Amino acid sequence: MLFKLTDEQLMIQNMVREFSRKVVGATAAERDKTKEFPAENFKQMGELGLMGMMIPVDYGGEEADAVSYVLALSEIAYSCASTSVVMSVQNSIVCESLYRFGTEDQKQEFLVPLASGEMIGAFGLTEPEAGSDPVSQTATAVRDKDTYVINGTKRFITSGQNSGLVLVTAKTDEGTAHRGISCFIVPKGTPGLIVGRTEDKMGLRASDTTDLIFEDCRVPASNRLGKEGDGFKIAMSGLDSGRIGIAAQSLGVAQAAFDAAVKYAKKRRQFGVPIAKHQAIRFQIADMATQIEAARQLVFSAASMKDRGEAYTREASMAKLFASEMVNQVTARAIQIHGGYGFTKDYDVERFYRDARVFTIYEGTSEIQRIVISNNILRDKRKL
């Protein structure tokens, strides 16, 4: 490993690794079949400080740095990608948005239970006709004295069913493009907030993904996050952090698939020797290891820039793009090394392959990442 970790970062990594292997990994395969939400695991993760890692202690968090966060998230993803995606959304898009843009009252009421793991949060940005183009969203929030009335449908919402609150974006001004989008804190149980159908997904099956439907959903004006018109800025800021999280998840799943492939290659015999003796397999292992290490350095670089308070949008997109494409290649190679057995559910690589497929899609497709990266390069005088 080229990046030098501190003793504290190594301690966090080792602690989460032990918890992940013993607790999270123990039921991951079964939950993939049953789609059971790992609520008890999240309770324990909250007690370990994993649900609000970068939030100050005063607000229920652990005040850890971003590098420690990606180490922890990767270790959770190693055992269960479904669990890691909930942890990622909770930490980056939900908790950080509340910390950066929330009032003191909002932080005390909503951030403390979220960061301490007492509550799961969701973020509602995507709509049926507005995914990669969030400015095209049609959800509206109309001011009515001291309340806002929200109407619209949000799609593909992680933890839509199991969350205790949702941060939702909606247009408060139809005529000003992205500057007309605002963000609101909507607790579950608010009249007019309806949980729609749960998606039957290829992977991440223990993480619920649902529609959230808002029908004359009335929230107090005090639940607006930031100023009117800040919604797009809040969402994009959260996605920068979230993309580091997706890259960290990709690392964890890729490492799990790689370890499984190496173990299998040493054990499986063909033509009288372990297949690890064959050059075709050895070259695949070498390529997989190189791809994983390259992704790891990109992730650590982006996280370190965040820790230093530097602009990291471009680097977060680079890490997300490379790592998410990498994990799809690595999991495919892992199945190839397993041969016919890799195509069966008897081996975890089949689950890793399905879980990995969405990483190039959510929180900004690979195509969107390339747009973000190229835009930053072409208008930025910084050297690569």
Side-chain angles (χ1 to χ4, degrees):
M1 180 182 293
L2 300 177
F3 192 92
K4 180 67 173 176
L5 299 176
T6 66
D7 289 343
E8 183 177 356
Q9 289 164 346
L10 287 169
M11 180 186 69
I12 291 172
Q13 182 184 42
N14 291 332
M15 180 270 289
V16 180
R17 177 174 294 171
E18 182 178 5
F19 171 79
S20 176
R21 304 295 196 275
K22 289 183 177 179
V23 179
V24 177
T27 57
E30 183 62 24
R31 290 181 189 278
D32 177 66
K33 297 175 185 177
T34 65
K35 298 192 285 187
E36 181 186 356
F37 188 75
E40 183 57 36
N41 286 353
F42 289 125
K43 180 180 178 183
Q44 294 183 60
M45 288 166 65
E47 293 169 354
L48 291 173
L50 302 182
M51 301 305 282
M53 288 190 67
M54 296 173 286
I55 301 302
V57 175
D58 290 346
Y59 298 115
E62 286 297 304
E63 216 158 330
D65 58 16
V67 171
S68 296
Y69 166 63
V70 300
L71 288 169
L73 185 57
S74 294
E75 292 297 339
I76 295 297
Y78 185 99
S79 297
C80 179
S82 295
T83 302
S84 72
V85 68
V86 177
M87 175 182 168
S88 180
V89 170
Q90 179 90 351
N91 274 274
S92 58
I93 307 181
V94 177
C95 285
E96 281 201 69
S97 295
L98 275 164
Y99 177 64
R100 290 191 62 193
F101 297 96
T103 64
E104 185 61 29
D105 286 345
Q106 288 171 343
K107 292 174 184 177
Q108 292 296 336
E109 183 176 359
F110 303 115
L111 180 56
V112 170
L114 286 164
S116 61
E118 296 174 15
M119 180 192 299
I120 300 294
F123 197 97
L125 175 65
T126 299
E127 295 185 3
E129 301 298 329
S132 295
D133 180 18
V135 177
S136 295
Q137 65 185 281
T138 59
T140 59
V142 177
R143 184 74 182 253
D144 180 19
K145 297 179 182 178
D146 59 351
T147 65
Y148 284 89
V149 181
I150 304 174
N151 282 283
T153 298
K154 297 296 179 176
R155 179 144 295 168
F156 301 140
I157 308 305
T158 299
S159 304
Q161 176 68 52
N162 288 284
S163 56
L165 67 76
V166 57
L167 304 184
V168 61
T169 59
K171 287 189 174 179
T172 46
D173 185 345
E174 293 280 0
T176 53
H178 69 276
R179 293 183 179 87
I181 298 172
S182 301
C183 187
F184 302 90
I185 306 165
V186 185
K188 281 294 188 62
T190 302
L193 171 53
I194 302 162
V195 177
R197 78 184 191 93
T198 299
E199 302 292 342
D200 188 11
K201 300 174 296 183
M202 173 192 293
L204 305 182
R205 291 173 62 79
S207 162
D208 61 292
T209 303
T210 75
D211 281 357
L212 290 178
I213 303 160
F214 297 83
E215 293 183 352
D216 292 331
C217 180
R218 191 176 292 270
V219 298
S222 59
N223 277 27
R224 187 187 66 222
L225 187 61
K227 301 188 296 291
E228 272 203 8
D230 278 353
F232 186 81
K233 178 173 69 175
I234 291 169
M236 294 304 103
S237 172
L239 287 174
D240 280 348
S241 182
R243 285 165 181 166
I244 294 178
I246 303 302
Q249 293 172 57
S250 299
L251 271 179
V253 174
Q255 190 67 56
F258 175 77
D259 289 352
V262 170
K263 180 180 178 181
Y264 183 84
K266 289 179 176 179
K267 180 181 68 173
R268 173 70 167 166
R269 298 179 67 87
Q270 290 285 275
F271 305 103
V273 296
I275 63 172
K277 294 286 187 180
H278 298 303
Q279 188 179 69
I281 301 299
R282 297 172 78 90
F283 280 11
Q284 289 199 62
I285 289 171
D287 287 344
M288 292 161 76
T290 302
Q291 286 179 296
I292 292 170
E293 188 59 34
R296 181 176 287 113
Q297 298 307 317
L298 282 171
V299 175
F300 285 161
S301 176
S304 295
M305 291 179 72
K306 180 180 179 182
D307 283 334
R308 294 193 298 268
E310 300 172 12
Y312 65 95
T313 296
R314 182 178 72 184
E315 287 73 17
S317 284
M318 286 179 169
K320 199 270 189 187
L321 171 63
F322 187 87
S324 64
E325 296 284 349
M326 173 276 296
V327 71
N328 277 276
Q329 295 172 33
V330 166
T331 53
R333 286 178 183 269
I335 285 182
Q336 193 71 18
I337 289 171
H338 279 72
Y341 291 108
F343 197 64
T344 72
K345 293 186 182 295
D346 293 334
Y347 287 81
D348 286 337
V349 289
E350 183 269 345
R351 169 166 56 91
F352 300 154
Y353 182 78
R354 287 186 290 105
D355 285 341
R357 188 60 193 88
V358 76
F359 291 163
T360 62
I361 297 172
Y362 66 1
E363 294 199 27
T365 62
S366 290
E367 292 72 24
I368 289 295
Q369 303 314 314
R370 291 183 173 99
I371 291 172
V372 172
I373 294 164
S374 59
N375 283 348
N376 272 267
I377 290 170
L378 293 171
R379 68 169 176 250
D380 193 343
K381 295 182 180 179
R382 286 186 300 161
K383 294 181 180 179
L384 283 173

